[in-house]
Amino acid sequence: MNINIDKQGTIVVLTGAGISRESGLDTFRCEGGIWSKVNLEDVATPEAFQRNPKLVQNFYNARRAQLTQEKPQPNAGHLALARLEQEWPGQVLIVTQNIDNLHEAAGSQNIIHMHGELLKIRCNHCEALMVWEDDVHVDTPCPHCGQSGGLRPHVVWFGEIPLQMEEIYHALEDADLFMSIGTSGNVYPAAGFVQAAKQNGFCHTVELNLDPTEGAVQFAETVYGPASQVVPAYVDALLKS
Ligand code: BJW
């Protein structure tokens, strides 16, 4: 790997479920993944939540409990990205589609959770946003406004606008390096970030994944293997470049 990036340059890293797989969390679209066990239309749309809030709350309660009880640990891929942020002289921004907390647990600080966070909930009545580690039920009252029936997971469902989009596109405009790690590139707008990054004419783009994705041809460089191996190796090469 011979990577030639301006040492003061900005690095934008997009991560997806693949980076957390070796920490024991399921991906969505791999064999045996979340969407092979539940129908996304039943749990990941605002309409699903309106139709059957109990089913949706239970889906997220189970995934939240996995984080709080099994306490999955960041793997070498997450840790390498935290090291990159610490040691790279320029700016490093992690834009994650993941709702887990493994980048934070690894020590990364400059993180955007574009699809929300599992350990937060918000109230549709008073718009309060709260850190939350327990189960949520349909009749759980909001600790802020006291009303029941308004609490929902702080996640972005299909048809909703992902979070902090302006900040993300602003970072992509300036990016010298765009890394896409462990994401299938099936879901927009994240799937379009590689094109947005290339618009500035100088951004180097790399896909790091277990296998080539459908969008692999859009990247200048591709590296395949488990995130716990390829990410640390790529970060080492970057820091030595
Ligand atoms: C490894 C590995 C290892 C495995 N090491 N790698 C038609 C055309 C275009 C767009 C649309 C359309 N119809 C509708 C849309 C829009 C829609 C969309 O994209 N739909 C597509 C299905 C077509 N998007 C939306 O609705 C979004 N909102 C939106 O567009 O608003 C409009 C707007 C945008 C911007 C500005 C203004 C307006 C919202 C999308 C919400 C996504 N929500 C979910 C669930 C919620 C959170 C949760 O419950 O966790 O987010 S869906 C799910 O997919 C989750 C993920 O974040 C997301 C992406 O999945 P990811 O991370 O890529 O996982 P996988 O499983 O797909 O891939 C894993 C990868 O890892 C694989 O490649 C493996 O090879 C790899 N891997 N092991 C390295 N060890």
Side-chain angles (χ1 to χ4, degrees), residues 73-231:
Q73 296 299 306
N75 63 55
H78 298 101
L79 293 167
L81 292 178
R83 178 173 163 236
L84 180 64
E85 184 182 332
Q86 252 176 10
E87 296 183 18
W88 182 254
Q91 205 211 347
V92 176
L93 171 66
I94 295 179
V95 179
T96 187
Q97 298 168 87
N98 300 343
I99 62 176
D100 65 50
N101 58 352
L102 296 183
H103 285 302
E104 285 86 349
S108 290
Q109 298 194 341
N110 200 15
I111 309 166
I112 292 179
H113 278 274
M114 64 177 291
H115 290 165
E117 292 173 76
L118 191 49
L119 297 181
K120 289 184 182 165
I121 58 164
R122 60 179 197 263
C123 176
N124 279 336
H125 296 308
C126 70
E127 290 179 14
L129 177 64
M130 296 154 267
V131 172
W132 197 274
E133 297 206 341
D134 302 319
D135 283 356
V136 188
H137 302 289
V138 174
D139 56 357
T140 305
C142 169
H144 276 254
C145 67
Q147 294 191 74
S148 299
L151 296 181
R152 61 158 284 179
H154 182 55
V155 301
V156 177
W157 290 319
F158 284 104
E160 296 185 317
I161 299 176
L163 308 174
Q164 296 177 260
M165 289 308 300
E166 216 172 301
E167 236 177 289
I168 295 171
Y169 282 119
H170 195 67
L172 289 170
E173 273 171 27
D174 286 344
D176 293 86
L177 172 63
F178 174 72
M179 300 167 72
S180 176
I181 304 177
T183 175
S184 61
N186 267 276
V187 176
Y188 286 86
F193 289 172
V194 58
Q195 288 302 337
K198 290 197 296 189
Q199 292 287 314
N200 67 20
F202 54 78
C203 185
H204 181 64
T205 56
V206 59
E207 168 170 276
L208 295 102
N209 200 300
L210 195 57
D211 298 306
T213 65
E214 279 172 30
V217 289
Q218 301 176 81
F219 291 85
E221 186 184 2
T222 51
V223 183
Y224 297 112
S228 64
Q229 292 174 24
V230 293
V231 178

Side-chain angles (χ1 to χ4, degrees), residues 47-68:
E47 295 77 19
F49 188 55
Q50 257 191 336
R51 223 171 27 240
N52 194 342
K54 189 174 171 188
L55 181 78
V56 176
Q57 294 286 18
N58 285 343
F59 172 69
Y60 286 98
N61 284 343
R63 290 172 66 200
R64 193 178 302 111
Q66 190 183 12
L67 283 193
T68 57

